[in-house]
Amino acid sequence: MRAWITHIVDFSRRHAVVVTLFFALLASMGVWLAHGQLRVDTNTDHMFDARLPWRQHERTFDHEFPQFNNLLVAVVRGATPEETEQTAAQLVRAVRADRRHFHDAERPDANPFFRHEGLLLLPPDDLSKLLNSLIAAQPLLGSLARDPSAIGLLRGLSLMAEGVRIQHANLRPYKSALDQLQQVLAEAADGHPAPLSWQNLLGPGISAAKHPVQLVLIHPVLEANTLQPGLAATQALMRISDSLPDVRAGRVRIDYTGSVALSDVQFGALTHGIVISTLASLALIALWLYLAVRSWRLIVPILLTLLGGFALTLGFAAIAVGTLNVISVAFAVLFVGLAVDFAIQFTTRLRDERLLQPDLALALRQTARVSGGQIAVAAAATACGFLAFAPTAFLGVAQLGIIAGVGMGIALVCTVTLLPALLGLFKPRHQIMDLALPFGAMCDLWLQRRHRAVLGLFSLLAVAGAIAAVRMPFDANPLHTQNPDSEPMRTLLGLADNPAINPFNINVLVPSLADARRLDDRLSKLPEVSSVISLATFLPDHQQASLDQIGEAQALLLPSLDTSGTAAPVTPAALRSAIINTRNAITAADVALPADSPLRGIDVALGRLEHAPDSRLLAMNEAVSRFLPEQLSLLRDELDAGPVSMKNLPASLRRDWISPDGWLRVQVSPTARAQATAGLRRFVQAVQAVAPQAGGSAVTTIASADTIMWAFQQAAVLAILAITGVLLLVMRRLRDTGIVLLTLGMSALLTALFARAAGMSINYANIIALPLLLGVGVSFNVYFVMNWRAGMHRFVSSASARAVLFSALTTGTAFGSLALSHDRGMASMGSMLLISLVAVLVATFVFLPALLYTLRGWARVSP
């Protein structure tokens, strides 16, 4: 191997121009391929093998219910339920009109079915409470139906006051409604009219709880060949939202979330500031290279070799995988960190050789003989560490392993061909500066004298690291890698208890309605479950009893809701007359009114309105009556409810709950406590104990976590076996191979210890520190052990140590750019990689020399 590498290096130097042009052509082709074919997919579901059972279930469900895929969800919140619903309806109309940015939009709660049969879906107690409230308000409803304006309302208030005066009527049941009316009248008297919510007024505690928000489900037009395919649609949605009247008035707020928005925001965070951070990283890398080799004639060839190898690796990635994921994109950082190590080792050894042989050609051949083999062994072992992840079901790291593993081979080829060619062209000058680290000799002396104490300390650290590794938590929640301050995440977290948008629902497909009812009954009793919804939810068992209640209320209320009469026009004079009459009625009843009666506050507000300008009176009438006609119409429709069966369920509702193949969907939502990783696992286990065929995002989250852990266990075993095989093949000694592996194990335990001390947990992104640990750890350790085999008595003060340190600095700079990423997953990845790198350095510079001194029992090392 040394002979071959020496021949290749010498050939590349002698034919420097041809080799350089050849690599320039290959690099150009690599960039061209990457530009035309390489894409990035931020969907974390696609990071796993589609043949996994839970992935097959997920794909089947997506096929059966495609309307739940690629959604942009607008969340409408208003000061009143009516404003919320009206704005949501306006938003749907505007979105549907924009065919450039949107395919469709719909409001799940706006189905006409809920308008006519909605009362049947209320629990019996809530239905009784609502109907009793409406019956008690019958006199007021009759007045309002005859005159749906402020005048009709004031007449109704007069009747209520008369009832108190004559019959000592108890208005305590009306207190909440009258308090709301008092507030609206007071605001109108101040010149700030706000609409009166008739839903809250007529159904206190029922309507408000039923419609806290309105969801608008939108399928956006996704732009092809862009990093944020839904961004244009999201921006269009915000422009439409900002143009709606109640949004402009500040009465309604529209936020957005959904899979499309979350994906766009995540990738936007990945790319945010990437140009500046990349330039800063390159500048720092150039600085470390200067400090390492102290010559621009060496730095430029290193950087050009790095860029050439990176371009070739990009081209390979375009051909081999085509589409990167949020983990495999990190191959760029890994390549830079490891490939630069090869180049630094080569050039540092070259400088060392030129202290003895100033002639560049002779020094290059000697460098190839001494350092080429070490770099080749390091590259082969590192590549094995990465390629061991290729056969796993965790495609995210499998892709990373393939690209980075082949990239190590590319980096090796570039280091022994392109780099010598560039060195031949740039002709670096002979330097006589000592390459040893300033503190190296002192460290070697200290480690040689105290090697047993050092090994004892590392034994304790190893035990602590093993405990930390066992107790290291795994955060399976993919949402925790998102920025919680982004609008899609804030909106999603604010609706975590909403079954329609809960990110951890479970879906179960059953063959019949009877099965759905039985499953609903069993799952609803689980403490981890907050709600169960299926088609059976819209076909309640108690509907006959509810229909009887509604029928009785209908007989009492419908005559009062008759609108056959014609009300007189609303004028300021008519409003003032009605105000005076109402105030007189309240004054007459004053003695019988409780001290806290809202009628007293209403009287004060009416007193101010009585003398208000005409415009203020008309604004008050508009605020009071704005939603009244629609509410009266809705009430008449709700009281006309009829029995519901499978035959008369609307098609839109059936489409959301019955698959084209006739399977019924049962949706199970967790409690808030069950949405943490441990609780989510218990939720999934509890549901699957009842319904083993359960799937959905909660099952996917837990199954993906298990897949990741199994993949890394499998890959770790394969990597260790492959690395062991390579080391044994080259070193031919079990002891030397064991030293490298033991130091590698110490690096892993220190990584676990440092990460636990920093309060970090493992997630699907930062777990890639393992292949990096294997790659960097093997590479660094091989240099020290092979130098030791060659008879070197210095370790920290050697040229190899200098190369390792500055290689680690350049690698750490690349990782640091990840740690500063705006994407939490990528930042977590960068932080874990930095911790892993520190652990590798501690093991390489302290533990490994102490171990080698112990094995050889050398005498004192001369400074």
Side-chain angles (χ1 to χ4, degrees):
M1 182 175 62
R2 289 179 179 177
W4 272 101
I5 292 175
T6 302
H7 177 72
I8 292 171
V9 168
D10 191 52
F11 175 87
S12 299
R13 180 195 59 79
R14 288 186 286 105
H15 302 87
V17 175
V18 174
V19 171
T20 302
L21 291 176
F22 177 71
F23 270 94
L25 177 62
L26 289 180
S28 300
M29 291 178 61
V31 172
W32 176 75
L33 285 171
H35 180 266
Q37 299 183 31
L38 201 58
R39 299 289 181 268
V40 178
D41 181 5
T42 59
N43 189 333
T44 55
D45 292 338
H46 296 166
M47 294 194 302
F48 300 92
D49 193 332
R51 293 169 295 182
L52 291 167
W54 59 269
R55 281 285 287 131
Q56 291 179 346
H57 184 284
E58 182 182 50
R59 296 178 70 182
T60 299
F61 182 82
D62 290 344
H63 175 74
E64 297 287 349
F65 297 97
Q67 63 268 37
F68 301 128
N69 298 330
N70 296 327
L71 277 177
L72 186 60
V73 181
V75 181
V76 186
R77 294 183 179 88
T80 63
E82 292 91 340
E83 288 171 292
T84 301
E85 292 183 11
Q86 187 177 82
T87 302
Q90 294 169 349
L91 180 64
V92 168
R93 288 194 294 270
V95 167
R96 286 176 176 172
D98 185 355
R99 305 302 298 176
R100 177 184 174 188
H101 294 105
F102 308 102
H103 293 295
D104 56 54
E106 64 176 20
R107 295 165 55 205
D109 294 340
N111 196 303
F113 169 82
F114 298 113
R115 182 180 181 94
H116 290 88
E117 276 71 50
L119 293 182
L120 290 177
L121 306 182
L122 290 176
D125 291 342
D126 285 350
L127 178 61
S128 298
K129 181 179 178 181
L130 175 60
L131 293 178
N132 290 336
S133 175
L134 293 173
I135 292 171
Q138 183 179 13
L140 178 61
L141 287 173
S143 175
L144 292 171
R146 290 188 294 274
D147 187 352
S149 68
I151 295 174
L153 175 62
L154 291 170
R155 287 175 182 162
L157 289 175
S158 299
L159 290 175
M160 295 175 75
E162 287 290 321
V164 173
R165 182 178 65 84
I166 299 172
Q167 300 178 352
H168 299 283
N170 180 18
L171 298 185
R172 182 63 57 181
Y174 297 93
K175 187 176 187 310
S176 176
L178 293 175
D179 283 339
Q180 294 179 54
L181 178 59
Q182 175 189 343
Q183 181 181 353
V184 169
L185 292 175
E187 291 175 347
D190 291 335
H192 306 291
L196 177 63
S197 172
W198 288 95
Q199 285 190 33
N200 290 339
L201 197 69
L202 299 176
I206 302 297
S207 297
K210 182 181 176 183
H211 299 290
V213 298
Q214 282 281 318
L215 302 180
V216 178
L217 307 184
I218 303 166
H219 285 103
V221 174
L222 301 179
E223 295 182 316
N225 302 323
T226 179
L227 299 178
Q228 295 173 281
L231 182 60
T234 301
Q235 292 172 339
L237 174 64
M238 289 297 95
R239 287 194 299 269
I240 291 173
S241 300
D242 293 341
S243 69
L244 301 179
D246 283 333
V247 175
R248 291 203 310 269
R251 299 282 302 172
V252 176
R253 175 179 173 178
I254 299 179
D255 300 311
Y256 65 90
T257 186
S259 58
V260 171
L262 288 168
S263 177
D264 284 346
V265 166
Q266 184 173 38
F267 203 81
L270 285 172
T271 57
H272 182 71
I274 190 170
V275 174
I276 295 177
S277 63
T278 300
L279 292 176
S281 297
L282 289 176
L284 275 175
I285 288 173
L287 173 63
W288 302 136
L289 289 176
Y290 172 76
L291 294 176
V293 296
R294 300 295 181 93
S295 169
W296 71 267
R297 294 177 185 270
L298 292 174
I299 294 173
V300 174
I302 291 174
L303 291 177
L304 290 177
T305 302
L306 192 63
L307 291 175
F310 182 65
L312 293 177
T313 307
L314 273 177
F316 169 77
I319 296 172
V321 300
T323 301
L324 302 174
N325 54 62
V326 293
I327 287 184
S328 58
V329 293
F331 87 88
V333 176
L334 297 183
F335 180 86
V336 169
L338 293 171
V340 78
D341 170 60
F342 300 160
I344 290 177
Q345 287 289 340
F346 191 90
T347 52
T348 302
R349 174 64 67 176
L350 176 64
R351 283 197 56 195
D352 201 26
E353 292 296 335
R354 294 191 76 183
L355 294 176
L356 303 175
Q357 177 55 262
D359 182 74
L360 178 61
L362 295 177
L364 275 173
R365 282 196 291 272
Q366 183 61 23
T367 298
R369 277 192 292 270
V370 176
S371 184
Q374 295 181 353
I375 294 173
V377 173
T382 303
C384 287
F386 284 122
L387 292 173
F389 290 85
T392 67
F394 187 19
L395 297 184
V397 177
Q399 276 189 4
L400 177 68
I402 293 171
I403 299 171
V406 174
M408 291 303 95
I410 293 174
L412 173 63
V413 171
C414 290
T415 301
V416 298
T417 54
L418 179 59
L419 181 58
L422 291 171
L423 291 172
L425 292 176
F426 280 84
K427 295 181 172 54
R429 295 172 182 170
H430 173 53
Q431 295 172 283
I432 58 173
M433 183 182 300
D434 187 11
L435 295 180
L437 293 171
F439 54 84
M442 182 176 61
C443 289
D444 279 327
L445 181 61
W446 186 86
L447 287 170
Q448 186 268 330
R449 287 176 173 175
R450 295 173 174 80
H451 56 88
R452 290 188 177 86
V454 170
L455 291 181
L457 175 62
F458 272 94
S459 298
L460 296 176
L461 291 177
V463 173
I467 296 173
V470 171
R471 296 182 178 179
M472 180 74 72
F474 186 92
D475 187 355
N477 191 336
L479 296 179
H480 289 169
T481 62
Q482 294 261 6
N483 179 7
D485 297 324
S486 68
E487 181 167 342
M489 275 300 296
R490 286 199 313 268
T491 305
L492 182 63
L493 295 174
L495 293 172
D497 58 347
N498 188 315
I501 201 171
N502 191 296
F504 297 114
N505 285 330
I506 283 180
N507 290 296
V508 185
L509 298 181
V510 296
S512 68
L513 185 63
D515 291 317
R517 290 189 189 280
R518 284 193 293 269
L519 193 60
D520 188 330
D521 182 61
R522 295 182 64 188
L523 292 175
S524 298
K525 297 175 183 177
L526 297 176
E528 297 86 0
V529 172
S530 66
S531 67
V532 181
I533 303 175
S534 69
L535 206 61
T537 306
F538 309 105
L539 300 167
D541 292 327
H542 55 76
Q543 63 175 298
Q544 188 54 55
S546 297
L547 285 170
D548 292 340
Q549 282 186 280
I550 295 171
E552 293 173 3
Q554 184 185 50
L556 292 171
L557 293 174
L558 280 186
S560 301
L561 296 175
D562 182 19
T563 59
S564 57
T566 303
V570 177
T571 63
L575 287 169
R576 283 194 174 86
S577 176
I579 289 173
I580 292 171
N581 292 336
T582 302
R583 294 195 67 202
N584 288 337
I586 294 174
T587 301
D590 182 73
V591 177
L593 289 174
D596 63 343
S597 174
L599 286 180
R600 297 183 185 277
I602 289 174
D603 181 48
V604 173
L606 291 176
R608 296 168 59 198
L609 284 166
E610 181 182 350
H611 304 289
D614 291 353
S615 60
R616 190 165 295 184
L617 279 176
L618 293 174
M620 180 273 293
N621 176 71
E622 170 64 21
V624 167
S625 62
R626 174 179 171 184
F627 299 118
L628 178 56
E630 172 60 23
Q631 183 61 32
L632 293 172
S633 175
L634 174 62
L635 186 56
R636 285 190 290 269
D637 289 341
E638 288 181 329
L639 291 174
D640 194 32
V644 181
S645 66
M646 285 286 286
K647 293 182 179 180
N648 62 8
L649 279 176
S652 58
L653 200 62
R654 293 170 62 90
R655 184 183 70 247
D656 286 347
W657 295 97
I658 306 179
S659 76
D661 294 333
W663 290 89
L664 276 67
R665 178 169 73 96
V666 179
Q667 177 181 285
V668 191
S669 299
T671 61
R673 182 177 297 179
Q675 294 182 38
T677 298
L680 196 62
R681 183 175 291 277
R682 289 193 296 271
F683 169 62
V684 170
Q685 291 172 344
V687 173
Q688 288 188 327
V690 177
Q693 73 276 28
S697 56
V699 175
T700 297
T701 298
I702 298 303
S704 62
D706 293 341
T707 301
I708 290 171
M709 293 306 295
W710 167 244
F712 273 83
Q713 292 169 6
Q714 176 187 3
V717 172
L718 291 176
I720 295 299
L721 291 176
I723 290 172
T724 301
V726 170
L727 295 177
L728 284 174
L729 183 65
V730 175
M731 294 185 174
R732 310 274 178 113
R733 290 180 186 174
L734 187 60
R735 182 194 61 179
D736 297 351
T737 300
I739 293 172
V740 174
L741 295 178
L742 182 62
T743 309
L744 193 61
M746 180 60 68
S747 301
L749 294 174
L750 291 177
T751 298
L753 179 61
F754 296 163
R756 195 76 183 96
M760 296 188 67
S761 59
I762 298 174
N763 56 49
Y764 77 87
N766 65 29
I767 201 170
I768 73 159
L770 177 58
L772 182 278
L773 176 70
L774 295 174
V776 174
V778 167
S779 178
F780 289 177
N781 297 339
V782 162
Y783 300 139
F784 273 46
V785 172
M786 293 191 75
N787 286 340
W788 174 66
R789 283 162 53 93
M792 180 179 290
H793 292 187
R794 299 181 305 158
F795 300 109
V796 184
S797 57
S798 66
S800 292
R802 179 187 180 91
V804 165
L805 178 61
F806 282 100
S807 173
L809 288 173
T810 56
T811 305
T813 299
F815 295 163
S817 66
L818 290 180
L820 297 176
S821 171
H822 290 76
D823 176 68
R824 294 185 74 188
M826 195 62 70
S828 171
M829 183 190 301
S831 298
M832 187 66 80
L833 289 173
L834 280 174
I835 288 174
S836 177
L837 182 62
V838 170
V840 168
L841 285 177
V842 171
T844 302
F845 276 82
V846 184
F847 172 76
L848 180 56
L851 178 61
L852 296 177
Y853 284 132
T854 302
L855 291 174
R856 292 295 292 265
W858 283 331
R860 179 175 177 174
V861 178
S862 301

